[in-house]
Amino acid sequence: MSLFFRRSISSMASLKKASKVVCIGRNYADHITELSSARPKQPFFFLKPASSILAPGEGPVIRPKGVDLHYEVELALIIGKQVKDLEAEDEKGAFDAIESYAMSIDMTARNAQNEAKKKGLPWSISKGFDTFLPVSQIIPKSAIPDPHNVEIYLTVNDKIRQNDSTNLMLFQIPRMLSDISKVMTLEKGDIVITGTPKGVGSVVPGDIMRAGIKVGGKEIEEGKIEVGVEESTSTYQFAET
């Protein structure tokens, strides 16, 4: 077993032990429009449980019964040290806090989320099922010189569904990390996913999702995700609250 392979296994194991996964919502204008959501005046965030992380090769995304399952491709930041009360102007502090990157797919039970939005309920069910955060291998920090200028994409059955530049983010990384860190301390190993561009939609059992990232038009191998969708065998069935 190569040293690199051993390191990537241990990095992935530590990823799954993240104390939290913080998700930035509504961070691309066209995505806000497609979901008929309100544009936020400040970064808006929610949590996914670490138990939702699906590492490469761990199996398919499982669609719970009764769920309209949507994909949302996102660039993920892996935090390398404790961050508390960071100021948005402290760009160096923000980027120093990032240890590495990964690609991720924020799987969402859209009908559960829509009900939660309508009734003022938490989003935990819609975002928190096991397998609802497929991730790529760890991307070395050096491979992404400017995380605000990369292309992220997602295909379903080889048809492009999402493909946009991170330069379209409404709030950039220093502002995100600042706002989060003034509410909750970010710890080493935590994951921050930075929002999804337009093009979200449904997947069903049998579909294959592929996602990735390009820097200067060149694909980063470690950022590739390939994952299928299967129907749950659990007795759980989503029903309105």
Side-chain angles (χ1 to χ4, degrees):
M1 187 185 288
S2 75
L3 183 60
F4 176 78
F5 188 61
R6 277 205 306 275
R7 270 195 196 134
S8 64
I9 288 173
S10 90
S11 302
M12 199 49 67
S14 66
L15 211 59
K16 297 198 78 168
K17 289 181 186 157
S19 78
K20 55 191 166 293
V21 180
V22 187
C23 315
I24 303 290
R26 303 178 191 168
N27 203 25
Y28 288 79
D30 288 344
H31 173 61
I32 293 169
T33 304
E34 73 184 350
L35 292 188
S36 305
S37 297
R39 183 168 175 152
K41 296 183 181 128
Q42 59 193 30
F44 157 79
F45 53 92
F46 56 91
L47 299 174
K48 281 178 92 93
S51 53
S52 66
I53 295 169
L54 183 68
E58 274 196 333
V61 169
I62 301 298
R63 183 181 75 170
K65 295 183 183 75
V67 157
D68 177 20
L69 182 62
H70 275 217
Y71 54 80
E72 299 184 0
V73 69
E74 312 202 14
L75 176 65
L77 320 176
I78 316 300
I79 302 301
K81 61 183 181 185
Q82 191 181 84
V83 188
K84 185 175 176 66
D85 285 328
L86 179 77
E87 293 303 329
E89 300 75 30
D90 185 3
E91 290 194 15
K92 183 177 187 307
F95 288 110
D96 283 352
I98 299 168
E99 185 173 88
S100 51
Y101 297 94
M103 286 304 295
S104 65
I105 310 175
D106 175 15
M107 302 306 299
T108 304
R110 190 69 74 201
N111 50 336
Q113 186 189 41
N114 288 343
E115 187 208 6
K117 283 180 178 175
K118 194 167 144 193
K119 296 181 179 173
L121 298 169
W123 291 14
S124 304
I125 289 175
S126 68
K127 296 286 187 175
F129 286 98
D130 289 357
T131 75
F132 267 31
L133 189 62
V135 294
S136 70
Q137 299 290 351
I138 306 288
I139 301 169
K141 192 173 181 176
S142 57
I144 302 181
D146 179 5
H148 298 125
N149 188 27
V150 296
E151 276 178 69
I152 59 175
Y153 71 85
L154 180 139
T155 68
V156 178
N157 304 327
D158 295 324
K159 289 185 183 150
I160 287 275
R161 296 292 176 83
Q162 294 186 275
N163 187 24
D164 262 318
S165 171
T166 55
N167 67 20
L168 296 172
M169 285 180 181
L170 298 178
F171 299 106
Q172 294 198 322
I173 288 164
R175 177 69 194 275
M176 290 179 213
L177 296 186
S178 172
D179 278 42
I180 294 166
S181 74
K182 288 179 178 181
V183 174
M184 56 186 79
T185 302
L186 287 164
E187 303 289 355
K188 181 176 167 62
D190 283 353
I191 301 165
V192 177
I193 62 174
T194 55
T196 195
K198 68 181 182 296
V200 303
S202 297
V203 282
V204 297
D207 283 345
I208 303 289
M209 296 177 287
R210 293 182 178 88
I213 180 170
K214 293 177 182 176
V215 176
K218 188 168 181 246
E219 182 104 28
I220 297 180
E221 204 58 37
E222 294 93 335
K224 289 182 176 177
I225 299 174
E226 180 174 332
V227 66
V229 181
E230 286 185 14
E231 188 78 358
S232 175
T233 56
S234 162
T235 55
Y236 175 88
Q237 171 113 18
F238 173 71
E240 287 213 359
T241 300

